[in-house]
Amino acid sequence: MKASLPVTNHMETRPDIDPTPEPKKKLKKVNKGFKQLAVYIMLILFASAFVVPFFWLLSGSLKSSSELFANPPVWIPEVFQWSNYKEAFTSFPFLLYFKNTLIIVFFTCVGAVMSNSLIAYGFSRIEWKYRDGVFILVLATLMLPFQVIMVPLFLIFKDIGWIGTFYPLIIPHFFGNPFFIFLLRQFFIGIPKELSESAKMDGASELTIFLRIILPLSKPILATVVIFQFIEAWRDFLGPLIFLSDNRLYTLSLGVQQIMSENDPRWALLMAVGVAMTLPVIIIFFFLQRYFIEGITFTGSKG
């Protein structure tokens, strides 16, 4: 008798052949495609919630009065009324108010970066007694709205003669902001301490470590602070309304209020100014969005 040879399974001995049936592969691809499609649809819907209002603002700034209040709504004007922008910029001292706003925004951003980064460094990289307790007290001030401290601040600035100047809108930002301190502290904690210890062994002071090691590594979170502070100062209305008494020092937000306070507000002009005030925020976020996303992601992932 001939010895029977063992039967070998070629499918098992060849690892390059996928035993998964072809229909199952196609089904997995279809399911994956449907999931991606559902995600894209959700993202489009969420994006539309923000894009549609801005599109309506942009469209309204180019409409005539009859089209602006037409029923049903007119999304795209038949004739673009570019004269609305010219009238809007000449109906009040736009360039003067724009310059005043830029001055306030620039110095508040400088103050926010300088003060908050230095304070956050002290809370994150330097060991001192009661550090965590003081940090909790700083965070507790987040619960105080501006309306609570508005009157005391006005009385203080009135006594020192700052009412009617830019100082009340700029100087406080050189003394820290609890929200920015928290963001920067969380970012600084994530930077390896070995870098600071190596610099100390070479004789570097805390200020040298802060300026030459920590700050160069903190560009993402510093850009995040600049974006937040820019938006806050750019759209601030209550602060300039309280502390600025001279028309020559008014900001754009007060200029918009002047248009709205008229007996018959020209809504098309108001929308044109709204577009002009929105564009700088979009531009600065467009150029700093990479750092903004890195700063927020890195800060949120560290304890």
Side-chain angles (χ1 to χ4, degrees), residues 102-223:
L102 285 183
I103 292 174
I104 296 173
V105 167
F106 174 77
F107 285 105
T108 54
C109 288
V110 172
V113 171
M114 290 176 56
S115 62
N116 293 294
S117 59
L118 193 59
I119 296 171
Y121 180 81
F123 279 125
S124 60
R125 314 289 295 191
I126 301 177
E127 298 288 341
W128 46 282
K129 194 175 181 180
Y130 305 124
R131 183 187 69 174
D132 295 337
V134 175
F135 179 67
I136 293 175
L137 290 177
V138 171
L139 290 183
T141 60
L142 282 170
M143 295 183 292
L144 292 175
F146 178 73
Q147 289 78 4
V148 173
I149 60 176
M150 180 173 59
V151 174
L153 283 177
F154 180 84
L155 295 177
I156 292 173
F157 294 142
K158 181 181 179 182
D159 291 339
I160 60 180
W162 282 4
I163 299 299
T165 66
F166 290 151
Y167 295 136
L169 302 173
I170 295 176
I171 300 302
H173 295 280
F174 284 83
F175 291 90
N177 180 296
F179 176 67
F180 295 152
I181 293 172
F182 171 76
L183 285 180
L184 290 163
R185 175 185 177 273
Q186 297 303 105
F187 191 93
F188 291 166
I189 289 176
I191 299 176
K193 289 188 176 182
E194 289 78 6
L195 298 175
S196 301
E197 294 173 355
S198 300
K200 289 180 181 179
M201 292 178 63
D202 294 336
S205 62
E206 292 290 352
L207 184 60
T208 302
I209 295 172
F210 171 71
L211 294 176
R212 296 190 177 183
I213 297 178
I214 302 300
L215 288 186
L217 295 175
S218 304
K219 291 180 181 179
I221 195 62
L222 293 178

Side-chain angles (χ1 to χ4, degrees), residues 3-24:
S4 59
L5 297 175
V7 179
T8 59
N9 190 339
H10 296 285
M11 295 294 294
E12 295 180 355
T13 57
R14 294 189 58 185
D16 58 322
I17 299 178
D18 190 357
T20 305
E22 194 67 24
K24 289 186 177 181

Side-chain angles (χ1 to χ4, degrees), residues 188-258:
F188 291 166
I189 289 176
I191 299 176
K193 289 188 176 182
E194 289 78 6
L195 298 175
S196 301
E197 294 173 355
S198 300
K200 289 180 181 179
M201 292 178 63
D202 294 336
S205 62
E206 292 290 352
L207 184 60
T208 302
I209 295 172
F210 171 71
L211 294 176
R212 296 190 177 183
I213 297 178
I214 302 300
L215 288 186
L217 295 175
S218 304
K219 291 180 181 179
I221 195 62
L222 293 178
T224 302
V225 171
V226 169
I227 292 175
F228 279 133
Q229 181 57 48
F230 181 93
I231 296 175
E232 178 186 347
W234 183 263
R235 64 186 181 91
D236 185 21
F237 172 75
L238 191 56
L241 180 65
I242 296 171
F243 300 125
L244 298 180
S245 56
D246 190 349
N247 292 346
R248 294 172 298 178
L249 300 179
Y250 278 4
T251 60
L252 284 177
S253 58
L254 295 181
V256 173
Q257 190 268 342
Q258 287 181 351

Side-chain angles (χ1 to χ4, degrees), residues 92-103:
F92 68 98
F94 178 84
L95 293 179
L96 177 62
Y97 293 174
F98 182 77
K99 182 191 72 173
N100 295 337
T101 306
L102 285 183
I103 292 174

